[in-house]
Amino acid sequence: FVPETHELGITMALCALCCWGSWSVTLILSAGLMPFQLYYADFASSFLITGIVVGYLGGQFGSGGEKYGFKRSCMEELLGGNTFPCYFAGALAGMVWNIANIMLCKGIAMMGNAVGFPLCIGVAMVS
């Protein structure tokens, strides 16, 4: 989905800004209800499902991307036989990133922010 007008693009950007803080707000609200790892898995899976639903709806009701070379709808793109390895690699990279992010947050919880964050980021930069 590509916004056709400047006003629609600004509206979508403002909606994204309003949703930007949802991570910290829902984390605080669920602090005593569930462990962080379960919360993070739930949050990541909800983002995946939301992305699929929004991509499907935006791709079915006119993508607006013809001028950028996008000629197929979202489902045609996802179910196309020639692009599956690319999507599989993207999903695998997302899973690895999420696992690393959970480990980073657990390290920060164990060692504190002043020690955990520089240590984890330093190890990530070296490797």
Side-chain angles (χ1 to χ4, degrees):
F1 177 76
V2 178
E4 297 275 333
T5 64
H6 180 70
E7 290 80 16
L8 181 59
I10 294 295
T11 303
M12 292 178 69
L14 289 175
C15 288
L17 280 173
C18 290
C19 296
W20 207 348
S22 63
W23 165 264
S24 59
V25 171
T26 56
L27 179 61
I28 297 300
L29 290 175
S30 69
L33 301 174
M34 65 175 69
F36 175 76
Q37 292 83 357
L38 180 62
Y39 165 79
Y40 190 83
D42 185 34
F43 194 78
S45 61
S46 68
F47 260 71
L48 175 67
I49 292 168
T50 302
I52 290 171
V53 168
V54 170
Y56 177 75
L57 292 176
Q60 294 303 318
F61 297 115
S63 67
E66 289 82 16
K67 60 184 169 187
Y68 300 107
F70 303 122
K71 296 182 177 36
R72 298 189 289 182
S73 70
C74 181
M75 290 309 292
E76 290 173 351
E77 188 72 34
L78 285 175
L79 299 176
N82 58 350
T83 57
F84 180 75
C86 181
Y87 289 119
F88 179 74
L92 185 63
M95 288 175 16
V96 169
W97 184 85
N98 278 308
I99 290 170
N101 201 15
I102 289 172
M103 291 169 56
L104 169 67
C105 293
K106 186 65 174 173
I108 289 172
M110 288 170 44
M111 296 181 279
N113 203 15
V115 176
F117 190 77
L119 183 66
C120 292
I121 297 301
V123 169
M125 291 177 124
V126 169
S127 60

